[in-house]
Amino acid sequence: MHFHVITIFPEFFTSPLSVSLLKKAQDKGVIAWTIHNLRDYTVGKHRSTDDTPYGGGWGMVMKPEPVVKALEEVGRAQPSPWRILLSPQGVPLTQAKVAELAGKETLTFICGRYEGLDERIRLFIDEEISIGDYILSGGEIAALVVIDAVARLVPGVVGRQESTVHESFSDGLLEYPQYTRPEEFRGMRVPEVLVSGNHAEIARWRRRQSLLRTRKRRPDLLARATLSEEEKQWLAQTSNED
Ligand code: 9D3
């Protein structure tokens, strides 16, 4: 999968894409990316990417010509580069959307900056995505979030073991508590069941911990999860404080 990013801050992408999982995936050749500096598509002696809003008012607006020129350049190298605008007005990102994007061959991200962008840019994009209801300074970090989440679903990026675990997580519950050595840390012991060696008991304890944790922290997720009759009964007779 090839990621194209159009930004006025190419530096934002250097370290996140050059370490860890994404770096390894690139070395393996399963993902690749090209960062396009929006400034390279500007004209005039100021090379501006923004201008004042028609009708007046506060703040600056992203100019359409550089963005559209950059998109056209990406389009010349790539037959159908799915175009995503990162903006606070987009549809909130979900794992379902991430899975859908992972099926594309090429993704192109336009990172907004300033207080807004010229409305005509929207005619050149395929979809508009937000990463949640909070205010960022621009689309760069949002693009990195989408790239990271999508790349994990590209075959060969995440190990087989981990992707199997991912599938079992899609039962929609939060994860159970985990422990490692030492068995006692500052007076706090690892739950007895985990050192018992009884694998059936351990599996049951973990599942129940997942249920409790989900009910307490994410009741919205619990409402949509599939539970057995026995699990429903057990939850009903167990308090939220356990
Ligand atoms: C002062 C105008 N702002 C009203 C709150 C609008 C505004 C424009 C541009 C606010 C933030 C930004 C920059 N943010 C993004 O480009 C962005 C974003 C975000 O802020 N939150 C969640 N997802 C995203 S994706 C891109």
Side-chain angles (χ1 to χ4, degrees):
M1 167 169 284
H2 201 120
F3 300 105
H4 290 269
V5 180
I6 299 167
T7 173
I8 57 166
F9 293 123
E11 306 90 329
F12 252 104
F13 296 86
T14 39
S15 89
L17 298 181
S18 58
V19 297
S20 186
L21 194 85
L22 294 174
K23 170 70 178 152
K24 284 187 197 129
Q26 192 206 24
D27 291 344
K28 279 208 261 175
V30 287
I31 64 168
W33 51 79
T34 314
I35 311 299
H36 305 263
N37 190 343
L38 189 61
R39 196 82 54 196
D40 295 342
Y41 302 90
T42 55
V43 292
K45 86 169 176 317
H46 298 293
R47 316 222 80 188
S48 343
T49 58
D50 63 337
D51 207 338
T52 52
Y54 274 113
W58 173 88
M60 296 295 273
V61 175
M62 214 158 172
K63 290 165 68 61
E65 306 96 313
V67 174
V68 170
K69 271 204 241 167
L71 282 173
E72 282 167 350
E73 160 125 338
V74 173
R76 271 195 289 278
Q78 221 76 43
S80 61
W82 190 253
R83 296 159 164 129
I84 299 166
L85 174 65
L86 280 323
S87 118
Q89 294 173 55
V91 177
L93 186 69
T94 58
Q95 189 65 25
K97 171 56 76 179
V98 168
E100 188 189 311
L101 295 178
K104 312 253 181 222
E105 236 167 75
T106 309
L107 294 178
T108 307
F109 298 95
I110 300 118
C111 305
R113 277 274 151 179
Y114 316 114
E115 286 65 45
L117 48 94
D118 188 291
E119 190 62 24
R120 293 165 290 188
I121 292 173
R122 292 200 162 87
L123 298 170
F124 296 84
I125 62 137
D126 296 300
E127 65 179 318
E128 193 164 342
I129 293 177
S130 152
I131 60 161
D133 294 339
Y134 36 81
I135 301 169
L136 301 173
S137 314
E140 283 77 9
I141 291 173
L144 284 167
V145 167
V146 181
I147 291 171
D148 189 74
V150 169
R152 297 178 59 81
L153 300 187
V154 172
V157 172
V158 170
R160 214 173 58 82
Q161 189 92 353
E162 241 185 292
S163 22
T164 317
V165 170
H166 168 261
E167 271 159 35
S168 72
F169 172 76
S170 36
D171 63 4
L173 297 177
L174 298 184
E175 284 180 25
Y176 50 77
Q178 304 231 56
Y179 297 86
T180 185
R181 281 188 286 238
E183 204 173 316
E184 184 178 324
F185 170 68
R186 301 198 178 181
M188 297 172 283
R189 294 194 57 77
V190 170
E192 215 47 55
V193 59
L194 298 181
V195 293
S196 69
N198 184 334
H199 296 292
E201 273 297 312
I202 291 170
R204 194 164 69 141
W205 180 84
R206 286 179 166 168
R207 175 76 184 175
R208 289 180 168 183
Q209 289 295 314
S210 280
L211 291 167
L212 287 179
R213 184 165 274 190
T214 308
R215 180 171 67 182
K216 201 165 187 173
R217 300 184 184 182
R218 294 293 306 275
D220 58 314
L221 290 185
L222 190 65
R224 280 182 281 134
T226 340
L227 272 55
S228 73
E229 276 314 309
E230 193 230 311
E231 286 168 343
K232 284 180 199 166
Q233 266 182 17
W234 179 81
L235 259 184
Q237 66 184 47
T238 308
S239 116
N240 232 352
E241 308 315 311
D242 291 333

